[in-house]
Amino acid sequence: MAKPSGRYGKGPNSRGTVLLAAGGTGGHLFPAEALAHELVARGYVVHLATDERAKQWAGDFPAGDIHILPSATFAGRNPFALVNAALKLFSGYLDARRLIGRLRPIAVAGFGGYPTVPPLFAAIRMGVATLIHDSNAVMGRANKWLAPRVNMVAMGFAAAGPGGELGKAIITGNPVRPAILQAAGKPYPIRKADGPFDLLVFGGSQGAQYFGEAVPAAVKLLAPEIRSKLRIVQQARMDDEANVKTAYREMGVKAEVAPFFTDMAERLIKAHLVICRAGASTVSELAVVGRPAILVPYPYALDHDQAMNAQAMAQAGGARIEAQKDLTPERLTQIIGEAVRDPAGLALAAEKAKRSGKPDAAARLADCVEHAAGGGKTEDFKGMPA
């Protein structure tokens, strides 16, 4: 790994340090991790600025160091809480200035979440090249505030928003992890009509409870000859794990149920159909690997971003979008039954899903970082293919 250059950098071909900033959740950190791998491969040193939550997600992050900065979210209307949040963010800003002064990065790239505000704002004030990437079709609040102030804005999905309104948004797609890129090389497992059917179900932090109730209820309503073909891998909340396991066991269905799977790429490779939420990273990974899906957007999201995330893959024919309020057990039973009876249709959907993917998103975003580091703006960036 290259050593920090000790300067801000003078162009896209100079190698130095890039500081990535991301909120401490998987949705923010996974794209940042994918970009970090690409930047390291190009000879840059990468550092990560984040918050305390990142400890459970950032174990494989290829960073020279991970820096925990004070941050807070403006939530609610309690004046004391708002003042406390402002003080924490200001403290994070001061720490970020010291960190940037020490690392002297050629660029600072943010991936959303309030923990990105202190390092990005510090970089802006210090004259360091800046870029933000928003994974969702609807830009998050922190990125909305930063968008008019940074050199470049990139997004995972095409959508209206501050970046688009300013003419600054480049649609790079969402960088996916190396394990997903490896999985993308595996063909869809076309099954015979009488063969086993591998169903993968996961809901992330927002939705596992719903699937823990809805999917077993739907499976119970399936005709016995359909149900006997199922092999289910399902993520369930720790509180629901025992009940979900019991439900499948009583139905005689082969099922593996756990709160978290560390080998999700391998699970995707084997899946004939995926039932899941429509988070930005989830939709992007499904498309890159090429697996047909039933996407159930999280209905309580403030900006309904998941519904918009799902549009591209659905319009390509690789997924169908089902609103949670309409997805009764009977409806889900019908969908699963149709999928089991139509292996050729699922194979075609898998092919269409893959066409909508952007496996080169990390390289696209790394090109943007280099362009920004060389003094470039989004408006004069001509290197992004459609």
Side-chain angles (χ1 to χ4, degrees), residues 197 199 210 218 222 226 230 273-275 293-296 320-323 326-342 346:
F197 185 91
L199 177 64
Y210 166 74
L222 285 168
I226 297 294
L230 295 183
L273 177 67
V274 180
I275 300 175
I294 308 302
L295 300 175
V296 187
R320 59 194 298 174
I321 303 172
E322 295 287 336
D326 300 326
L327 196 57
T328 62
E330 291 78 12
R331 171 71 175 151
L332 188 52
T333 297
Q334 178 187 353
I335 292 170
I336 295 173
E338 290 173 353
V340 174
R341 295 186 188 96
D342 188 16
L346 278 185

Side-chain angles (χ1 to χ4, degrees), residues 5 26 54 106 116 160 167 173 188 210 221 225 253 280 283 296 312 322 324 335:
S5 62
I106 60 171
T116 65
Y188 178 76
Y210 166 74
L221 296 175
E225 64 271 18
V253 173
V283 174
V296 187
E322 295 287 336
Q324 181 173 310
I335 292 170

Side-chain angles (χ1 to χ4, degrees), residues 55-143:
K55 292 178 179 178
Q56 64 174 318
W57 303 108
D60 296 325
F61 206 103
D65 205 350
I66 296 175
H67 309 273
I68 305 299
L69 299 180
S71 68
T73 300
F74 289 110
R77 297 183 180 180
N78 184 308
F80 296 104
L82 293 175
V83 169
N84 185 55
L87 290 173
K88 281 190 175 181
L89 286 170
F90 183 67
S91 175
Y93 167 74
L94 295 177
D95 285 356
R97 285 189 66 95
R98 286 188 284 268
L99 177 65
I100 292 170
R102 178 166 59 85
L103 295 179
R104 300 182 67 81
I106 60 171
V108 179
F111 285 83
Y114 275 98
T116 65
V117 172
L120 264 295
F121 189 58
I124 292 166
R125 297 287 294 175
M126 297 171 74
V128 182
T130 52
L131 174 148
I132 59 170
H133 177 275
D134 203 294
S135 299
N136 291 293
V138 180
M139 192 172 283
R141 287 176 292 175
N143 275 343

Side-chain angles (χ1 to χ4, degrees), residues 8 44-45 54 57 103-104 111 120 153 205 212-213 224 227 240 279 290 312 314 336 343 351 353 376:
Y8 288 126
Y44 295 96
V45 171
W57 303 108
L103 295 179
R104 300 182 67 81
F111 285 83
L120 264 295
V153 176
S205 59
E213 298 170 354
R227 190 167 58 237
D240 302 328
I336 295 173
E351 182 180 333

Side-chain angles (χ1 to χ4, degrees), residues 34-311:
L35 174 62
H37 282 286
E38 176 67 21
L39 289 172
V40 168
R42 295 187 184 196
Y44 295 96
V45 171
V46 173
H47 284 248
L48 172 66
T50 185
D51 63 75
E52 289 284 349
R53 298 171 299 169
K55 292 178 179 178
Q56 64 174 318
W57 303 108
D60 296 325
F61 206 103
D65 205 350
I66 296 175
H67 309 273
I68 305 299
L69 299 180
S71 68
T73 300
F74 289 110
R77 297 183 180 180
N78 184 308
F80 296 104
L82 293 175
V83 169
N84 185 55
L87 290 173
K88 281 190 175 181
L89 286 170
F90 183 67
S91 175
Y93 167 74
L94 295 177
D95 285 356
R97 285 189 66 95
R98 286 188 284 268
L99 177 65
I100 292 170
R102 178 166 59 85
L103 295 179
R104 300 182 67 81
I106 60 171
V108 179
F111 285 83
Y114 275 98
T116 65
V117 172
L120 264 295
F121 189 58
I124 292 166
R125 297 287 294 175
M126 297 171 74
V128 182
T130 52
L131 174 148
I132 59 170
H133 177 275
D134 203 294
S135 299
N136 291 293
V138 180
M139 192 172 283
R141 287 176 292 175
N143 275 343
K144 281 180 182 178
W145 187 83
L146 289 165
R149 297 168 171 83
V150 298
N151 298 96
M152 297 185 71
V153 176
M155 294 189 72
F157 299 96
E165 291 165 3
L166 291 167
K168 294 177 65 175
I170 294 174
I171 310 305
T172 59
N174 286 316
V176 298
R177 294 165 288 168
I180 296 296
L181 291 176
Q182 292 175 6
K186 303 293 183 180
Y188 178 76
I190 299 174
R191 58 179 284 273
K192 296 180 180 179
D194 59 349
F197 185 91
D198 289 302
L199 177 64
L200 175 61
V201 183
F202 59 93
S205 59
Q206 297 180 327
Q209 180 180 8
Y210 166 74
F211 290 131
E213 298 170 354
V215 178
V219 170
K220 189 174 183 179
L221 296 175
L222 285 168
E225 64 271 18
I226 297 294
R227 190 167 58 237
S228 65
K229 293 181 172 65
L230 295 183
R231 297 190 302 201
I232 299 175
V233 173
Q234 182 165 346
Q235 179 196 20
R237 296 190 318 158
M238 194 173 297
D239 291 345
D240 302 328
E241 181 182 2
N243 290 337
V244 176
K245 285 181 176 179
T246 298
Y248 288 134
R249 184 171 59 249
E250 290 177 348
M251 287 183 262
V253 173
K254 294 180 180 177
E256 185 176 354
V257 181
F260 186 75
F261 294 101
T262 58
D263 57 345
M264 186 58 76
E266 290 297 321
R267 309 290 179 163
L268 279 175
I269 289 171
K270 298 175 182 177
H272 293 112
L273 177 67
V274 180
I275 300 175
C276 60
R277 292 300 190 189
S281 293
T282 295
V283 174
S284 300
E285 291 181 355
L286 286 170
V288 167
V289 177
R291 293 299 180 266
I294 308 302
L295 300 175
V296 187
Y298 183 65
Y300 308 113
L302 184 64
D303 297 314
H304 302 290
D305 55 338
Q306 291 202 3
M308 295 188 69
N309 292 343
Q311 289 296 327

